[in-house]
Amino acid sequence: MSLVDRASGSDGGGTEGVAAVLLDGRGRVMWWSSAAAELVGEGTEDVTGRPVEDVLGTGALPATVVRLPAAPDGGSLLVFREPARSGRDRDRALGRSLLDQQRIGVAEFDTRLRLTRANTAMEALRPAGADAAWLEELEDCDSDKPVRELLTRVMESGAPIVGVDFRSGPAGSDPVLTLACFPVDDEHGTPVGLAVVATEPTRRLRAHLRLTDAYRRAFEIGESLDVVHSARDLVELLVPGLGDLACVDFPDDVLQGRDPALGYPGFEASAPRRVAVKSADGAWPAAMVQPGERVPPVPDQASHAAVAVGVVLKADAAAARAMLGDDPELVARLIPEHMHSTIGCPLYHRSRLFGYVSVWRTRTPEPFGEAEVRLLQDLCDRTAVALDKAYRYTREHRTALVLQRSLLPPAVTVSAAAETSGIYLPASGSLSVGGDWFDALSLSSMRTGLVVGDVIGHGLQATATMARLRTAVQTLADLDLPPDELLTHLDDLVQRMQAEAEQPDAVGASCLFAVYDPLSRFCQVASAGHPAPGLLLPDGRTEFVPVVPGPPLGVGDNPFETCEVVLPPGSVLALYTDGLVDYDHDIGRGGEELLRNLRRFHAPSRSLESVGRDLIGCHPNPERPADDVTLLLARTRAVADEDTVHWEYPADPAAVHDARADVDAQLDAWGLEDLQFSTELIVSELVTNAIRYAGGPVGLRLIRGPVLVCEVSDPSNTQPRLRRALITDEGGRGIFLIAQLAARWGCRYGARGKTIWTEQPLQLVGLPA
């Protein structure tokens, strides 16, 4: 054992940190080791011959000094260890080691959260193309908050945060870094900044996070109740959550809304079409089947039927090609390049095949494992249930829509009073067809009735309620009731419907009813909880009809008010439901937008049908409205003064002769001689009955238009009725005779008395309408 070994107290354990100095008999330095030179900071040539006390100092010698027995020449050997490092020295060494790490990124921020330095490992973690501020722009995978908010929270609280995953891509992308952040203080405990330590998530952790995120997002599948939208939701979840490419194929039955056949019908019979695709790099391979294209037929095998109604199929590239018969054309159309692993699963529910899902891995090196197989099975089962619900919804929606449209009047009508055009647009998304309706009714004396209504709720129940209300409005309007009285009777009907319903609160409606008279140009409007109609006057001014809405139908105990406005010929009324003007729940703003668009699109030469399409096109979402949209446009007309004539007679039987003479003369002036005989009989009967049973004065009016209208007014409120007279009866045949001569007849009541009217079509005598 050497002197150095003995001095160190070691049995061959090494001399790390041990220094040696050779002294002569007088204590002068003759030689020292490199360790001693490094410790003191002077070389051998600088200390040779100098007293050891001058070199080492009397009070600053190392903590461990061993004097050895004298050498033969009278000298001695001084051996000592380097003193232990202080805590600050160890901190510096630890800091240098941490900064020199090649796999752990370290960055330092000052108190103003400015990046002051970062080690090479942190720079190596920078995503390609990112700028110098890339670290602060990363987003928390859970809260979508940037790194800067994390730094601020640590700086304010002084509490470290450990193990937070951040990403550099959009929501749902894999995390790129796991960060820890803690405050940094100086030796006096004063905060001087923050330190951020970053590591890359392991491959296993990335896979676990992808699967966890996929399960979380699976609850969003099928929310739209649209089969194609559900397929797109699924591929968005599968890529990059499960693979690098994914597609969904639907049989033709599903796309056409038909119930899929039980079991597996065979590839040829199912006629699948590709409806949704997704690629991790954003571009679907051009050689493969594109969205909307039919999937090329593959040879049917016994295994296909089992797979179609069974579990997930997993295969490598060779097995996938073998399933296609190694046909180069099929392989190119159905398998992406560089694919090394694939899984596929049917969308199967209630013994019916709704589609097939395929997922491939091309860039991800690992093949699909059992965890991915179970995930795809769960996702496809969930999607199949959603598709089944969507299919049933589609069937009910189509049924309700057919019923709804069958109950609505023709889209375009033309009468002597107005030209009308109606549009109905059903709601989309999770809502079914609602109870919106419109109607244009031909009333007596060439007047027209305009109706628009909105029933509470959606679906077949709302459509059935709408049908009952529309029928009731037609019946009540045929009685020539004023708008306020009509709504009162309609309110009574809705209250009876509520009493009969299992859920009374689900029965109700709003309604607006207007009557326009082309002779007086007056329009009477009443509203039961419905928005006021828009009005475009011939001079270009727009406004809302100043009607005061009453309560919705079914509330009861509240009267309705009638508003009366004058409409010059060429005025346009716009009746609508709130689905047209509900702009972010601001009906007022939507109504003003409707008036502006009505003024912008309308022109006297344009058809109301084209104007209506333009107005619907201004809806925030005309393709997929959140609620039913109904619009009824009416452009008013007027009966010319020369096409109407009025007489008044006293309650004298001789006035019947005068009435016949006046009518004959007027028909001659109008060139309606062919109607003289029938009109004379009608006038004679009506004027005679008025004088006999009601007294005077008796009014008589003729109106020429598409029909010849004959009206007789008297002060009585007695309702004439049609009856069959017996052979022995001396009277009772007058109204029966009128019913045979006229195309339509009826009676309406006014403020004083009643008016009996008849209509004779001019076309029956070969005259233009």
Short mmCIF file of all heavy atoms in Angstrom, two decimals, residues 471-496:
data_model
loop_
_atom_site.label_atom_id
_atom_site.label_comp_id
_atom_site.label_asym_id
_atom_site.label_seq_id
_atom_site.Cartn_x
_atom_site.Cartn_y
_atom_site.Cartn_z
N THR A 471 -109.04 23.96 -40.45
CA THR A 471 -110.41 23.64 -40.84
C THR A 471 -111.41 24.55 -40.12
O THR A 471 -112.38 25.03 -40.72
CB THR A 471 -110.72 22.17 -40.53
OG1 THR A 471 -109.79 21.33 -41.22
CG2 THR A 471 -112.13 21.81 -40.94
N ALA A 472 -111.14 24.80 -38.84
CA ALA A 472 -112.04 25.68 -38.09
C ALA A 472 -112.02 27.10 -38.63
O ALA A 472 -113.08 27.75 -38.75
CB ALA A 472 -111.63 25.67 -36.61
N VAL A 473 -110.83 27.59 -39.01
CA VAL A 473 -110.74 28.94 -39.57
C VAL A 473 -111.51 29.02 -40.87
O VAL A 473 -112.24 30.00 -41.13
CB VAL A 473 -109.27 29.33 -39.77
CG1 VAL A 473 -109.16 30.62 -40.59
CG2 VAL A 473 -108.57 29.52 -38.44
N GLN A 474 -111.40 28.01 -41.72
CA GLN A 474 -112.13 28.02 -42.98
C GLN A 474 -113.64 28.04 -42.74
O GLN A 474 -114.39 28.76 -43.42
CB GLN A 474 -111.74 26.81 -43.82
CG GLN A 474 -110.32 26.86 -44.35
CD GLN A 474 -109.94 25.58 -45.09
OE1 GLN A 474 -110.51 24.52 -44.85
NE2 GLN A 474 -108.97 25.69 -45.98
N THR A 475 -114.09 27.25 -41.77
CA THR A 475 -115.53 27.19 -41.48
C THR A 475 -116.03 28.51 -40.91
O THR A 475 -117.08 29.02 -41.33
CB THR A 475 -115.81 26.05 -40.48
OG1 THR A 475 -115.34 24.82 -41.03
CG2 THR A 475 -117.29 25.95 -40.19
N LEU A 476 -115.28 29.07 -39.98
CA LEU A 476 -115.69 30.33 -39.39
C LEU A 476 -115.61 31.48 -40.39
O LEU A 476 -116.46 32.39 -40.38
CB LEU A 476 -114.81 30.64 -38.17
CG LEU A 476 -114.96 29.68 -36.98
CD1 LEU A 476 -113.90 29.95 -35.93
CD2 LEU A 476 -116.37 29.79 -36.37
N ALA A 477 -114.59 31.45 -41.25
CA ALA A 477 -114.48 32.51 -42.26
C ALA A 477 -115.63 32.45 -43.24
O ALA A 477 -116.07 33.49 -43.77
CB ALA A 477 -113.15 32.38 -42.99
N ASP A 478 -116.15 31.25 -43.50
CA ASP A 478 -117.27 31.11 -44.43
C ASP A 478 -118.55 31.73 -43.87
O ASP A 478 -119.49 32.01 -44.61
CB ASP A 478 -117.49 29.63 -44.74
CG ASP A 478 -118.24 29.42 -46.04
OD1 ASP A 478 -117.93 30.14 -47.01
OD2 ASP A 478 -119.13 28.55 -46.08
N LEU A 479 -118.57 31.95 -42.56
CA LEU A 479 -119.71 32.63 -41.93
C LEU A 479 -119.58 34.14 -42.00
O LEU A 479 -120.45 34.86 -41.48
CB LEU A 479 -119.82 32.19 -40.47
CG LEU A 479 -120.09 30.71 -40.22
CD1 LEU A 479 -120.10 30.43 -38.73
CD2 LEU A 479 -121.41 30.27 -40.85
N ASP A 480 -118.50 34.62 -42.62
CA ASP A 480 -118.26 36.06 -42.78
C ASP A 480 -118.18 36.77 -41.44
O ASP A 480 -118.71 37.88 -41.26
CB ASP A 480 -119.34 36.71 -43.65
CG ASP A 480 -119.06 36.50 -45.13
OD1 ASP A 480 -117.88 36.66 -45.53
OD2 ASP A 480 -119.98 36.13 -45.87
N LEU A 481 -117.51 36.13 -40.47
CA LEU A 481 -117.34 36.77 -39.17
C LEU A 481 -116.22 37.79 -39.25
O LEU A 481 -115.23 37.60 -39.96
CB LEU A 481 -116.99 35.71 -38.11
CG LEU A 481 -118.06 34.65 -37.82
CD1 LEU A 481 -117.53 33.64 -36.83
CD2 LEU A 481 -119.34 35.31 -37.30
N PRO A 482 -116.32 38.87 -38.50
CA PRO A 482 -115.18 39.82 -38.42
C PRO A 482 -113.96 39.12 -37.81
O PRO A 482 -114.09 38.13 -37.08
CB PRO A 482 -115.71 40.94 -37.52
CG PRO A 482 -117.19 40.80 -37.55
CD PRO A 482 -117.48 39.35 -37.74
N PRO A 483 -112.77 39.62 -38.07
CA PRO A 483 -111.56 38.96 -37.57
C PRO A 483 -111.53 38.75 -36.07
O PRO A 483 -111.11 37.70 -35.58
CB PRO A 483 -110.44 39.89 -38.04
CG PRO A 483 -110.97 40.55 -39.26
CD PRO A 483 -112.43 40.73 -38.98
N ASP A 484 -111.98 39.75 -35.29
CA ASP A 484 -111.92 39.57 -33.83
C ASP A 484 -112.88 38.49 -33.35
O ASP A 484 -112.56 37.70 -32.46
CB ASP A 484 -112.20 40.90 -33.14
CG ASP A 484 -113.51 41.53 -33.56
OD1 ASP A 484 -114.02 41.18 -34.65
OD2 ASP A 484 -114.04 42.38 -32.81
N GLU A 485 -114.08 38.43 -33.96
CA GLU A 485 -115.04 37.39 -33.57
C GLU A 485 -114.53 36.01 -33.99
O GLU A 485 -114.71 35.03 -33.27
CB GLU A 485 -116.41 37.67 -34.19
CG GLU A 485 -117.12 38.88 -33.62
CD GLU A 485 -118.54 39.01 -34.15
OE1 GLU A 485 -119.12 37.97 -34.52
OE2 GLU A 485 -119.05 40.14 -34.20
N LEU A 486 -113.93 35.93 -35.15
CA LEU A 486 -113.39 34.65 -35.60
C LEU A 486 -112.34 34.13 -34.62
O LEU A 486 -112.35 32.95 -34.25
CB LEU A 486 -112.80 34.79 -37.00
CG LEU A 486 -112.28 33.51 -37.65
CD1 LEU A 486 -112.55 33.53 -39.15
CD2 LEU A 486 -110.79 33.32 -37.42
N LEU A 487 -111.44 34.99 -34.18
CA LEU A 487 -110.42 34.56 -33.24
C LEU A 487 -111.02 34.18 -31.90
O LEU A 487 -110.51 33.27 -31.21
CB LEU A 487 -109.37 35.66 -33.05
CG LEU A 487 -108.48 35.95 -34.25
CD1 LEU A 487 -107.46 37.03 -33.91
CD2 LEU A 487 -107.75 34.69 -34.71
N THR A 488 -112.10 34.83 -31.50
CA THR A 488 -112.77 34.47 -30.24
C THR A 488 -113.32 33.05 -30.31
O THR A 488 -113.17 32.26 -29.37
CB THR A 488 -113.89 35.47 -29.93
OG1 THR A 488 -113.33 36.78 -29.81
CG2 THR A 488 -114.60 35.09 -28.64
N HIS A 489 -113.99 32.72 -31.42
CA HIS A 489 -114.50 31.35 -31.59
C HIS A 489 -113.34 30.35 -31.67
O HIS A 489 -113.43 29.24 -31.13
CB HIS A 489 -115.35 31.26 -32.86
CG HIS A 489 -116.69 31.92 -32.74
ND1 HIS A 489 -117.72 31.40 -31.97
CD2 HIS A 489 -117.17 33.07 -33.28
CE1 HIS A 489 -118.77 32.19 -32.05
NE2 HIS A 489 -118.47 33.21 -32.85
N LEU A 490 -112.26 30.74 -32.31
CA LEU A 490 -111.12 29.84 -32.42
C LEU A 490 -110.47 29.63 -31.05
O LEU A 490 -110.00 28.53 -30.73
CB LEU A 490 -110.09 30.44 -33.39
CG LEU A 490 -109.10 29.47 -34.04
CD1 LEU A 490 -109.82 28.42 -34.85
CD2 LEU A 490 -108.11 30.24 -34.91
N ASP A 491 -110.47 30.65 -30.22
CA ASP A 491 -109.94 30.52 -28.86
C ASP A 491 -110.78 29.53 -28.06
O ASP A 491 -110.24 28.72 -27.28
CB ASP A 491 -109.93 31.90 -28.20
CG ASP A 491 -109.37 31.86 -26.80
OD1 ASP A 491 -108.15 31.63 -26.64
OD2 ASP A 491 -110.15 32.05 -25.85
N ASP A 492 -112.09 29.56 -28.23
CA ASP A 492 -112.96 28.60 -27.54
C ASP A 492 -112.63 27.17 -27.97
O ASP A 492 -112.61 26.25 -27.14
CB ASP A 492 -114.43 28.91 -27.84
CG ASP A 492 -114.88 30.23 -27.23
OD1 ASP A 492 -114.22 30.69 -26.27
OD2 ASP A 492 -115.87 30.79 -27.73
N LEU A 493 -112.38 26.99 -29.26
CA LEU A 493 -112.05 25.65 -29.75
C LEU A 493 -110.75 25.15 -29.13
O LEU A 493 -110.65 23.99 -28.70
CB LEU A 493 -111.92 25.69 -31.28
CG LEU A 493 -111.37 24.41 -31.93
CD1 LEU A 493 -112.30 23.23 -31.67
CD2 LEU A 493 -111.18 24.61 -33.43
N VAL A 494 -109.74 26.00 -29.04
CA VAL A 494 -108.46 25.58 -28.46
C VAL A 494 -108.62 25.24 -26.99
O VAL A 494 -108.00 24.28 -26.50
CB VAL A 494 -107.40 26.68 -28.67
CG1 VAL A 494 -106.11 26.33 -27.94
CG2 VAL A 494 -107.12 26.87 -30.16
N GLN A 495 -109.47 25.97 -26.29
CA GLN A 495 -109.70 25.64 -24.88
C GLN A 495 -110.36 24.27 -24.75
O GLN A 495 -110.06 23.51 -23.82
CB GLN A 495 -110.56 26.72 -24.23
CG GLN A 495 -109.85 28.06 -24.08
CD GLN A 495 -110.70 29.07 -23.34
OE1 GLN A 495 -111.04 28.87 -22.17
NE2 GLN A 495 -111.05 30.15 -24.02
N ARG A 496 -111.27 23.92 -25.64
CA ARG A 496 -111.87 22.58 -25.60
C ARG A 496 -110.82 21.51 -25.92
O ARG A 496 -110.80 20.44 -25.32
CB ARG A 496 -113.03 22.49 -26.60
CG ARG A 496 -114.26 23.27 -26.17
CD ARG A 496 -115.48 22.85 -26.97
NE ARG A 496 -115.35 23.15 -28.38
CZ ARG A 496 -115.69 24.29 -28.95
NH1 ARG A 496 -116.18 25.27 -28.19
NH2 ARG A 496 -115.56 24.47 -30.24
#
